Amino acid sequence: MQNELNEVYSLVLPTLTDSLLLPNVTVAEIVPYIDVEKPAAGQPAWYLGELNWRGSRAPMASLEIISGDEERIEPTRRSRVAVLHTLSGNKDVPFIGLLVQGIPRLAHVLRSEFHLIDDHGNDPDSAIKCKVRFAGQKILIPNLDKLEEMIASIPRNSIAR
């Protein structure tokens, strides 16, 4: 008998242009956007620098910029960072940060309430797994493996000094 996951406790994280849906267990903490070291010149626009978090440094990304918003989205007073556990066990990148806005909300996601709009999963270079409709809104599900790979490719000395 095949075990099939039918429900996932998740967080809906608002961004400036969309919302993200992530399983609760991947989110270590949501923190204010403060104490962020800006990236050095020449880094990709989506790379926002590093968050000083709990005695370590979490490299940060903007999923909005990665997914095609050309302009660099400047953080506002409502900006937050979703600090995420990485999935590979890479000791150099145990956490990554995603720029989000406002306050996340808990969601109990049932398979029957989840409707696929656009499947990006066939594109191994996409940082977006898919776009879904959940609870009446369009939501992006990030490809955390790809995000981790992109962040791990940034040189560790890429912070402006």
Side-chain angles (χ1 to χ4, degrees):
M1 184 166 125
Q2 182 180 5
N3 256 346
E4 192 171 299
L5 189 61
N6 288 315
E7 63 185 56
V8 177
Y9 291 97
S10 302
L11 286 173
V12 176
L13 304 161
T15 67
L16 282 176
T17 58
D18 292 298
S19 289
L20 308 176
L21 183 67
L22 290 165
N24 254 1
V25 298
T26 62
V27 180
E29 188 172 9
I30 306 292
V31 297
Y33 183 89
I34 55 173
D35 205 10
V36 175
E37 295 183 43
K38 300 291 184 191
Q43 296 302 320
W46 56 263
Y47 178 63
L48 303 178
E50 292 186 0
L51 170 72
N52 290 312
W53 178 72
R54 296 187 177 212
S56 63
R57 297 163 60 115
M60 291 187 46
S62 167
L63 201 58
E64 293 162 314
I65 296 172
I66 291 171
S67 63
D69 286 339
E70 296 294 322
E71 291 185 36
R72 186 175 192 89
I73 296 172
E74 292 300 322
T76 68
R77 63 185 175 88
R78 292 180 40 93
S79 296
R80 307 276 187 274
V81 179
V83 181
L84 310 177
H85 298 279
T86 56
L87 306 174
S88 72
N90 181 344
K91 291 178 186 175
D92 293 331
V93 188
F95 301 97
I96 59 176
L98 285 181
L99 182 65
V100 297
Q101 300 293 322
I103 306 298
R105 67 179 170 87
L106 293 170
H108 183 210
V109 179
L110 299 171
R111 184 177 292 271
S112 61
E113 298 173 345
F114 192 84
H115 306 286
L116 184 66
I117 296 172
D118 186 10
D119 184 6
H120 296 262
N122 294 331
D123 180 1
D125 294 327
S126 179
I128 305 295
K129 269 243 191 262
C130 61
K131 186 181 287 187
V132 299
R133 181 165 301 282
F134 172 72
Q137 79 183 104
K138 293 178 187 172
I139 295 181
L140 300 176
I141 297 178
N143 180 341
L144 295 180
D145 291 326
K146 181 61 181 176
L147 278 171
E148 181 182 346
E149 177 186 316
M150 291 169 69
I151 286 174
S153 72
I154 300 289
R156 296 308 290 173
N157 61 353
S158 61
I159 298 301
R161 302 275 182 214

